[in-house]
Amino acid sequence: MSGRAARAPGAKEGARARAARGPKARAFDAPGARDLALRAPDARDEVAFVAAARRSGALHRPFVHAPSTPDAFRAWLLRAREPGRACHVLVDRRTRALVGVVNLNEIAHGALQSACLGYYAFAPFEGRGLLRAGVALAVARAFGALGLHRVEANIQPANARSIALVRALGFRCEGLSPRYLKVGGRWRDHERWALLREEWRAAPPRRA
């Protein structure tokens, strides 16, 4: 039997095994994804963060307005430390590069046990599956260390890449909220995508 023939069945089994693992495991299949970590931002990130936000302006608009000046970064850092928030920079542990931002906002305990998710990648790290891995880390923290039951992401309908990201992680669309959030000075419609803790534990694979 040729070497090529011997590998073929294993390749098919590998594809089936990857699908069976579900979205929370497959989130880390992208090259470099397992080298990522979430950590709290601090003042030492200012120069690198502002530079990353500035080079990412075309990537982010019109959906995200990341802090792109020192004053804006410092104001964001103060907000990031407010109660009810768990804000993170996504970093490559090998190079220490800032890959993106993943936030858990409006954290509520008690009967609600929920949070709202926000995220964006910095150029040139978009489109590689790295942000999806970072969001998966934040969701795991929400359902693990923070003890939450529900994570919600509110996404503008035209933001196809962001919708694809949460779909790939098992989020489901609950509906449309007209004029829900003010972004770039205008009230904009948002789709509500949500994931429950029990769905995260047993979510079936979804096509992005």
Side-chain angles (χ1 to χ4, degrees):
M1 182 181 292
S2 71
R4 181 175 181 181
R7 288 194 300 268
K12 292 181 180 178
E13 291 169 4
R16 286 196 294 269
R18 284 194 298 273
R21 286 187 291 121
K24 64 183 178 183
R26 289 184 289 114
F28 299 97
D29 285 347
R34 296 188 182 276
D35 296 312
L36 299 174
L38 294 175
R39 64 165 173 79
D42 63 42
R44 291 170 293 182
D45 295 317
E46 180 179 310
V47 173
F49 191 106
V50 169
R54 287 177 175 172
R55 70 170 180 264
S56 304
L59 171 66
H60 291 164
R61 288 190 295 269
F63 305 116
V64 172
H65 297 268
S68 58
T69 67
D71 286 346
F73 173 81
R74 292 166 196 162
W76 174 76
L77 192 58
L78 289 174
R79 293 194 301 272
R81 294 169 176 169
E82 292 174 353
R85 297 178 186 266
C87 297
H88 314 89
V89 286
L90 179 63
V91 299
D92 185 321
R93 291 178 293 184
R94 299 168 304 168
T95 66
R96 300 185 181 180
L98 298 183
V99 175
V101 171
V102 186
N103 298 326
L104 294 166
N105 301 312
E106 300 178 39
I107 298 171
H109 294 283
L112 196 56
Q113 296 184 27
S114 71
C116 290
L117 180 67
Y119 50 86
Y120 50 88
F122 290 129
F125 301 104
E126 76 280 7
R128 304 185 189 180
L130 300 179
L131 183 59
R132 181 177 63 178
V135 171
L137 290 171
V139 170
R141 182 184 181 200
F143 292 143
L146 297 182
L148 302 181
H149 180 251
R150 169 188 167 91
V151 174
E152 179 175 316
N154 294 286
I155 305 171
Q156 294 181 57
N159 194 347
R161 295 176 72 172
S162 187
I163 289 172
L165 187 155
V166 294
R167 277 184 58 86
L169 291 176
F171 282 69
R172 53 189 163 69
C173 186
E174 295 184 330
L176 179 71
S177 298
R179 295 170 56 81
Y180 179 65
L181 291 172
K182 184 177 278 189
V183 180
R186 294 178 55 189
W187 289 103
R188 302 182 188 271
D189 298 348
H190 284 70
E191 293 181 1
R192 297 187 314 279
W193 289 80
L195 184 66
L196 303 181
R197 179 167 54 199
E198 54 267 31
E199 294 170 331
W200 174 248
R201 289 175 175 171
R206 295 190 182 187
R207 188 179 299 275

